[in-house]
Each structure stands twice: as structure tokens, then as C-alpha cells.
Amino acid sequence: MSVKVNRDIFTVMKERASVRQYEKGIAIPEQELREILQAATTAPSSWNLQHWKFLVIQSEKNKQILLPIAFNQQQVVDSSVVVAVLGDLEANKNADAVYSEAVANGFMTEEVKDVLLNQINGAYTNQQFARDEAVLNPSLAAMQLMLAAKAKGYDSCPMGGFDRQKFVETFHVPDRYIPVMLITIGKAVKPAHQTARFSLDRVIVKESF
């Protein structure tokens, strides 16, 4: 069983590529979309604070509103759905709920929970730390989202090219969250061309520089 699972995930990772041209009018069934998003939520996160929020944009109206914010990239309106991955600047506020459940399940004591909460809240007094974490952790979830979409037979593309401030204003994003990236998801018009990758020897360094 483990051999099959490993082969499947390596195939998905190899076949995933950024797609910018989609078949227009393809709807992703709600259950499939939820399964893709659910898979994204299993990503690891610092202190298990789960720093992500997903703003799902599916309606033609809202995709047309998003289009100029995304510098008129056609994939926004042709894709089946656009998922805005947001990062939580106040993820420390999730800690009590996360660790109260751990205590209830017998995974830790109340004393350990209090120590962790103090550590987390102390770290979040540093605004730069909070911002770094709000980008790092949702990016892990974003990658899992794209792999899950590919496993379901859909293509995707991460987008960093959009007006973040305008996005926040237009879609009424609370101050607590920052836009990390947009991800378009849909069916490719044609297979994505493979991009060149550096050889493994070029990108690895063992032990130290």
C-alpha cells in the first residue's frame, strides 16, 4: 500500500504545473471543492495555529470585479474558481481553542497549555514575526491545495501579481488578514508546457556552505 501511495503522490507532484488558460464554464462540484480545501487544511503550521483563511471566489460577477485588481489576467475569469489565500496576523488568538482541545483529549496538561500560550502570545508581540508567520504557514497550505486539485483532475496557478490593497478594500478583508496569493483552479485548455528545472546538484548543499 505505501508503495502505491508514494508513486501516486510523486506522479501528482510531477504533473502539477501552472496553467493560465482554462476551459471557460467548467464548474467544480461543491463536494470536490470542499475536499480540495479540506486537504489544504491538513498542512503543518507553527504551533498548529492554522494561520490560513480561504476566500473562495466563484461567481462571474465577483471574478469580473477581481479581474482589474489582478491586472486583467484572463485566467481569473476563465478559471472555475479563484481561491484567495489569506494569512492570519493574529493567529495567536487561535491558540486557546487549539490547545484546549488537546487538553480535553489528554494530549497535554493544563499547565503545559499555559506555558505554550505564554510563549505564543509573547512571540506575537513582534509584528514582523506575526507577518512572517502569516505568509509562511498559508503558503504551505496553498501548495497542498494545488496538489489536491491536481489529484482531483484540476489544474491551478498561484498568482502573486495583484493589487493587494485594492483586493483588501474591495472584498472587505478584515485587518486581521493579509493576502498571500491568489490561486486559480480549473480545467486546462491544453496541457501546460514543462518548465526547465535546475539539476538537483545545483540546488542542494550538504552540511554547510
Side-chain angles (χ1 to χ4, degrees):
M1 174 63 74
S2 61
V3 173
K4 181 178 186 300
V5 169
N6 286 339
R7 184 169 63 247
D8 286 349
I9 187 60
F10 276 96
T11 298
V12 169
M13 292 169 70
K14 184 177 181 180
E15 292 181 350
R16 187 221 60 81
S18 295
V19 166
R20 296 174 179 81
Q21 292 180 297
Y22 297 94
E23 291 185 40
K24 197 166 175 59
I26 301 294
I28 300 177
E30 181 65 18
Q31 182 58 35
E32 281 196 305
L33 181 57
R34 290 185 65 85
E35 289 172 1
I36 291 168
L37 292 166
Q38 183 67 52
T41 68
T42 66
S45 60
S46 301
W47 287 301
N48 194 28
L49 295 180
Q50 302 161 65
H51 308 61
W52 41 74
K53 187 77 77 174
F54 304 118
L55 176 54
V56 179
I57 300 172
Q58 287 177 286
S59 73
E60 188 64 28
K61 175 184 175 183
N62 280 333
K63 286 194 288 185
Q64 289 292 343
I65 291 172
L66 177 58
L67 183 60
I69 296 172
F71 307 131
N72 294 308
Q73 296 181 72
Q74 188 65 25
Q75 59 181 303
V76 166
V77 290
D78 289 348
S79 64
S80 302
V81 59
V82 182
V83 177
V85 180
L86 310 178
D88 191 351
L89 294 169
E90 301 174 10
N92 57 307
K93 293 181 179 179
N94 298 337
D96 187 67
V98 168
Y99 292 115
S100 290
E101 184 173 344
V103 171
N105 289 327
F107 298 145
M108 68 174 59
T109 64
E110 192 72 40
E111 291 74 22
V112 171
K113 171 194 164 186
D114 290 342
V115 169
L116 286 170
L117 291 184
N118 284 333
Q119 289 177 349
I120 293 166
N121 287 324
Y124 270 79
T125 60
N126 183 321
Q127 291 184 352
Q128 186 60 54
F129 173 85
R131 188 174 186 85
D132 289 347
E133 292 291 290
V135 174
L136 167 66
N137 294 284
S139 295
L140 298 174
M143 189 69 250
Q144 290 207 172
L145 189 155
M146 289 184 283
L147 291 174
K150 189 62 182 176
K152 287 283 187 182
Y154 299 100
D155 293 288
S156 63
C157 182
M159 300 172 60
F162 63 101
D163 186 331
R164 285 164 167 75
Q165 186 57 45
K166 190 67 174 176
F167 180 88
V168 166
E169 294 169 359
T170 302
F171 290 94
H172 311 293
V173 178
D175 291 341
R176 176 171 174 170
Y177 301 102
I178 58 171
V180 176
M181 71 182 76
L182 304 177
I183 299 177
T184 53
I185 307 173
K187 292 281 190 179
V189 169
K190 58 182 179 180
H193 66 84
Q194 292 299 309
T195 54
R197 299 289 167 165
F198 292 134
S199 69
L200 186 59
D201 287 339
R202 180 168 176 173
V203 298
I204 64 172
V205 177
K206 290 190 174 181
E207 312 301 347
S208 177
F209 278 93

